[in-house]
Amino acid sequence: MIEEFAHRYFLDNQLTHWLLFIVILLVGMIFKKLISRLITYLIYIFFRKYSAGVGLDKFQFLLIKPFSFFISMLALYFAFERLHFPDEWNMVSIEHVGLRLILFRSFQVLMTISVTWIVLRFIDFMGDIYHYRSTLDASKSKDQLITFVKDFTKIIACIVSLIFTLGVLFHINITSLVAG
C-alpha cells in the first residue's frame, strides 16, 4: 500500500519527492529562528571578549532576522533540489536563457543579499561596540568618527556585494564597466 503510494507521480515527480520537499520546507521554516539563535550565540561567544558593554541581546537582535532569511533561502534551495521540471514543459537547461536560469540567478541574488545583510548587521554591531567604548572617554569627537567609519564600511560592503553580483553571478566584465 505504502510502496504503491510512493511510486505515484505528480508533475513527473514521485510523491515521496514531493513529501521530502514539504518536509524540508517545513523543517527549515519551523527551525529557522532556533538555528539563527544558535548561530548568533556561537558567533557571539567568539567575539564576547571584544564586545564589552554590548551584550548578546543586541547581537541577536541585529542578526537573527538576516540569518533567518539566509536559512529560509537554504531550505528553499534544498527543497527544490528534490524536484525537477516535468519533461512536457520542454524547459531549456540552466546554461541557456530561460525560466531555469532566471530562477537560479534570482536565488543567487537573494543569497548574496542575505549575506550582505548579515555583513551590514555585523558592521552595525562592531559600530555599537566602538560607540560604547567611546562613551567611556571624555572626548566626543570620536562619536562622529565612529559613525562615519561605520557608514563608510557599510557602503564599501554594499559596493563589494554589487561588484560580486555583477561580476560573478551575471558574468559582466567589471573592469571594462568601470574603465568606460
Side-chain angles (χ1 to χ4, degrees):
M1 173 79 177
I2 294 176
E3 191 164 314
E4 179 184 315
F5 175 77
H7 290 296
R8 290 189 179 176
Y9 284 85
F10 178 70
L11 294 176
D12 272 358
N13 292 290
Q14 287 184 352
L15 290 181
T16 54
H17 293 154
W18 282 103
L19 183 63
L20 191 57
F21 167 81
I22 292 170
V23 166
I24 291 171
L25 276 181
L26 286 176
V27 167
M29 296 305 146
I30 290 171
F31 291 111
K32 70 180 179 183
K33 197 98 164 180
L34 179 69
I35 295 169
S36 298
R37 283 189 185 280
L38 179 65
I39 290 171
T40 54
Y41 179 73
L42 293 174
I43 294 172
Y44 181 78
I45 287 174
F46 183 70
F47 289 102
R48 184 184 338 196
K49 65 180 178 180
Y50 304 110
S51 63
V54 182
L56 175 64
D57 294 336
K58 178 71 173 180
F59 190 70
Q60 286 185 332
F61 173 76
L62 288 171
L63 286 170
I64 282 180
K65 284 183 182 178
F67 272 115
S68 293
F69 182 70
F70 181 78
I71 292 167
S72 297
M73 291 292 102
L74 284 179
L76 275 173
Y77 178 77
F78 288 125
F80 276 104
E81 275 290 306
R82 304 292 163 240
L83 302 177
H84 67 275
F85 289 105
D87 294 331
E88 297 86 35
W89 291 6
N90 296 323
M91 303 288 285
V92 295
S93 69
I94 201 166
E95 290 83 25
H96 303 291
V97 176
L99 183 61
R100 285 183 181 185
L101 180 65
I102 291 170
L103 291 174
F104 185 65
R105 292 289 187 239
S106 299
F107 169 75
Q108 288 179 322
V109 167
L110 287 173
M111 287 300 287
T112 304
I113 288 171
S114 69
V115 170
T116 304
W117 191 11
I118 291 169
V119 169
L120 292 176
R121 289 294 182 98
F122 190 74
I123 291 169
D124 283 336
F125 180 71
M126 296 305 288
D128 290 344
I129 291 171
Y130 287 118
H131 181 71
Y132 173 77
R133 289 182 181 177
S134 73
T135 59
L136 300 177
D137 292 340
S139 173
K140 296 296 178 193
S141 63
K142 287 183 182 179
D143 289 344
Q144 292 177 348
L145 182 64
I146 290 170
T147 304
F148 172 75
V149 170
K150 181 176 89 169
D151 291 342
F152 182 73
T153 307
K154 288 170 83 172
I155 289 170
I156 295 297
C158 289
I159 290 171
V160 168
S161 176
L162 180 66
I163 289 172
F164 174 80
T165 302
L166 292 175
V168 176
L169 301 183
F170 293 112
H171 307 293
I172 295 174
N173 188 351
I174 301 299
T175 307
S176 65
L177 188 65
V178 171

